[in-house]
Amino acid sequence: MTDPARTRSWRRWLHDHTQHVSLAARISILTTAAVGITLACLSAIIYVSVKSEFTSSVDENLVSRATAAVRAGVVTEADIQGLPEAALLAADVHMAVIEADKDYTGLESFVGRDELAVAAGRQSTSLRTSKIGGTSYRIVAVNAGPGRALVLGQSLANMDAALERLRVVLWTVGAFGVLVAGLLGSVVATSGLRPVRRLTTAVEKVARTEELQPIAVHGRDDLARLTVAYNQMMVALDASQQRQRQLVADAGHELRTPLTSMKTNIELLGQAEARGGMSAAARRELIGDVHAQLDELATLVGDLVELARDAGAPDPEPIDLVDVVETAVERVQRRAPGISMNVQLEPWIVVGESRALERAVTNLLDNAAKWSPPLGEIEVRLRDGVLTVADAGPGINDEDLPHVFDRFYRSRDARRLPGSGLGLAIVAQAAQRHGGTVTASRGPNGGALMTLRIPGQGAVGDDPPRPAPAP
């Protein structure tokens, strides 16, 4: 059994000694090792097969000759009573007739237990290899009658010489094959990894210069696919950087207005204090304006944080969209008590982030409440995963429709109302994060109609549409 500690030690040694080797060198080494192992296995198979074929041929020849000699009556003519060992070395093929009841001490290399067993009739033939005078012999014995056996010995010197030449040839071919495999492996690894080196150079350039430049694609193999994926990643990173720069620029522009207004109001307060103060009404008006600017600034910062939040962080879970809409309706209803909500909802299960969806629905309802007239009505419908919010306001101008979900976009009419221009952008981001869409259009009554589609697992049961709970 393999020692686990020794295996771990070997793996650790292999890792420590190969972690600094280049990929091209590893491929060359692995290619050479694979070819070497393959050639070694093939050489072993060839050698064993040839040796087995040679031995089988010698055995068949010896058995055939011995059997033919017995049938031809050679045994009766060549009855050897006491054959010295020197006589057995006189020719390439040696022959002797042995009897089961005689003693052949000193000739065990030629006449052994197997041959005596054949002579005694316990087996018909025997085959074995023995050393006689330092030379390998293949010895066969066949029964030659009661108590007798004919023994033939065939020298294997020629076969051993041929096998030795075969070993030399196999070693030479194997060494040459390993050398060629190493050279070809190095060439193939060098040329095959050229796209990888080019990609590595491009990545290092990006890390050094921060220039997200794509690289040329050659071929249609896996390395070409890797290059295409790298270029797509560069395009995505460049677009992300552009969005970040635009977000920072737009945020700076939007933050400048409330900060400038607050600075002006504070300076007015300071100047008034230096001149002996101002009236209580003017002071209250100025402080109220500062509070309004602070609220606008807090809202803007909150929207920026929500918009810039990492989209990969949420932990999605099954959510009934009805619960999300009901919570958003309750929240908006408290902020706009003069607006009525006509709500009809059908259950719809989605897998997503409850907080992001609730923020998106709340922003849609806040937008509808902002544009609805006093005592107006907002229609909220949820059917088959499609949420529609229709207000009774003036609607959206045709030139503004393509831009209502852009960051910081505010129409001419919206600039006189409070808001950061990020609410609907947050809705679009939440919809995209959940694989859905959001669109704006004119409603049947002339107001704005917002449509949010969120894919999900469908409705739960056959419950009829239910209105939201009363505020």
Side-chain angles (χ1 to χ4, degrees):
M1 296 180 64
T2 305
D3 186 2
R6 182 176 297 177
T7 302
R8 288 192 298 270
S9 177
W10 164 252
R11 290 178 179 174
R12 190 181 304 109
W13 180 89
L14 187 63
H15 177 267
D16 293 340
H17 287 77
T18 58
Q19 61 179 347
H20 300 299
V21 180
S22 66
L23 182 58
R26 291 184 186 182
I27 294 177
S28 300
I29 294 173
L30 291 176
T31 302
T32 305
V35 172
I37 293 173
T38 302
L39 289 177
C41 293
L42 288 176
S43 299
I45 293 173
I46 291 173
Y47 182 81
V48 172
S49 299
V50 171
K51 183 177 181 180
S52 176
E53 188 66 25
F54 280 175
T55 304
S56 177
S57 177
V58 171
D59 290 346
E60 290 179 0
N61 183 47
L62 284 176
V63 172
S64 176
R65 292 168 67 180
T67 303
V70 171
R71 290 176 179 174
V74 174
V75 174
T76 58
E77 299 173 2
D79 189 357
I80 301 175
Q81 296 297 329
L83 187 65
E85 185 172 356
L88 300 177
L89 303 175
D92 183 57
V93 178
H94 306 302
M95 181 178 67
V97 178
I98 62 174
E99 296 181 359
D101 56 354
K102 289 189 176 181
D103 183 17
Y104 295 95
T105 302
L107 298 177
E108 288 83 359
S109 59
F110 188 73
V111 180
R113 287 178 298 178
D114 292 340
E115 290 75 24
L116 292 175
V118 173
R122 292 193 295 271
Q123 58 188 65
S124 58
T125 59
S126 67
L127 285 166
R128 67 185 179 93
T129 300
S130 178
K131 284 279 189 179
I132 301 177
T135 303
S136 295
Y137 276 79
R138 191 66 173 167
I139 299 174
V140 61
V142 297
N143 188 270
R148 283 182 150 196
L150 176 63
V151 181
L152 291 181
Q154 171 71 54
S155 173
L156 299 179
N158 292 334
M159 188 184 78
D160 290 342
L163 290 175
E164 181 63 26
R165 290 194 296 272
L166 178 62
R167 281 196 296 269
V168 173
V169 170
L170 292 177
W171 274 106
T172 303
V173 171
F176 181 75
V178 170
L179 178 62
V180 172
L183 294 176
L184 292 179
S186 178
V187 172
V188 171
T190 302
S191 60
L193 292 177
R194 188 174 293 112
V196 176
R197 289 195 295 274
R198 186 168 61 248
L199 185 61
T200 302
T201 303
V203 173
E204 291 174 346
K205 182 179 179 182
V206 170
R208 186 175 61 256
T209 64
E210 297 185 0
E211 295 179 0
L212 305 179
Q213 296 295 331
I215 60 178
V217 180
H218 303 282
R220 297 182 178 179
D221 55 4
D222 291 339
L223 292 177
R225 291 179 56 193
L226 178 61
T227 305
V228 171
Y230 167 80
N231 289 339
Q232 292 174 347
M233 181 180 66
M234 290 298 100
V235 172
L237 286 175
D238 185 63
S240 177
Q241 283 190 353
Q242 293 295 335
R243 289 194 299 269
Q244 288 178 358
R245 294 190 186 102
Q246 187 64 38
L247 177 62
V248 172
D250 293 341
H253 176 74
E254 293 295 326
L255 288 170
R256 189 179 297 115
T257 300
L259 288 175
T260 301
S261 178
M262 290 175 59
K263 179 182 178 182
T264 301
N265 290 332
I266 293 174
E267 288 177 350
L268 288 176
L269 282 174
Q271 294 173 3
E273 289 295 330
R275 293 195 301 265
M278 63 173 62
S279 64
R283 187 181 182 88
R284 284 194 300 271
E285 181 181 357
L286 197 60
I287 293 177
D289 190 33
V290 171
H291 279 296
Q293 295 298 332
L294 283 173
D295 292 339
E296 182 178 350
L297 186 61
T299 301
L300 180 59
V301 171
D303 289 343
L304 285 172
V305 171
E306 176 66 25
L307 202 60
R309 196 166 58 89
D310 183 14
D315 185 16
E317 59 181 356
I319 303 166
D320 190 350
L321 203 55
V322 170
D323 298 332
V324 174
V325 176
E326 288 178 348
T327 302
V329 167
E330 292 177 1
R331 180 175 300 172
V332 175
Q333 191 73 77
R334 287 194 297 267
R335 292 201 287 256
I339 303 297
S340 62
M341 300 278 187
N342 184 355
V343 181
Q344 292 186 7
L345 309 175
E346 291 182 357
W348 185 257
I349 301 300
V350 300
V351 177
E353 186 187 6
S354 176
R355 194 179 67 85
L357 289 174
E358 183 178 325
R359 180 66 181 271
V361 176
T362 301
N363 287 358
L364 287 178
L365 296 176
D366 278 335
N367 182 76
K370 181 172 67 175
W371 289 101
S372 294
L375 304 180
E377 182 181 75
I378 299 176
E379 292 186 357
V380 182
R381 302 287 186 269
L382 175 60
R383 179 177 298 174
D384 296 331
V386 179
L387 175 67
T388 59
V389 178
D391 59 48
I396 304 174
N397 295 327
D398 293 338
E399 63 270 17
D400 295 326
L401 280 175
H403 307 289
V404 293
F405 296 104
D406 294 346
R407 296 176 179 179
F408 299 104
Y409 180 80
R410 303 182 73 184
S411 65
R412 186 180 298 106
D413 297 333
R415 291 168 189 166
R416 58 184 174 81
L417 298 175
S420 63
L422 292 175
L424 295 182
I426 293 174
V427 176
Q429 177 175 283
Q432 182 181 9
R433 188 183 305 176
H434 290 81
T437 59
V438 60
T439 58
S441 60
R442 281 187 174 274
N445 298 325
L449 175 63
M450 300 292 179
T451 304
L452 176 64
R453 293 177 174 86
I454 301 294
Q457 301 176 351
V460 180
D462 297 322
D463 296 337
R466 53 171 173 167

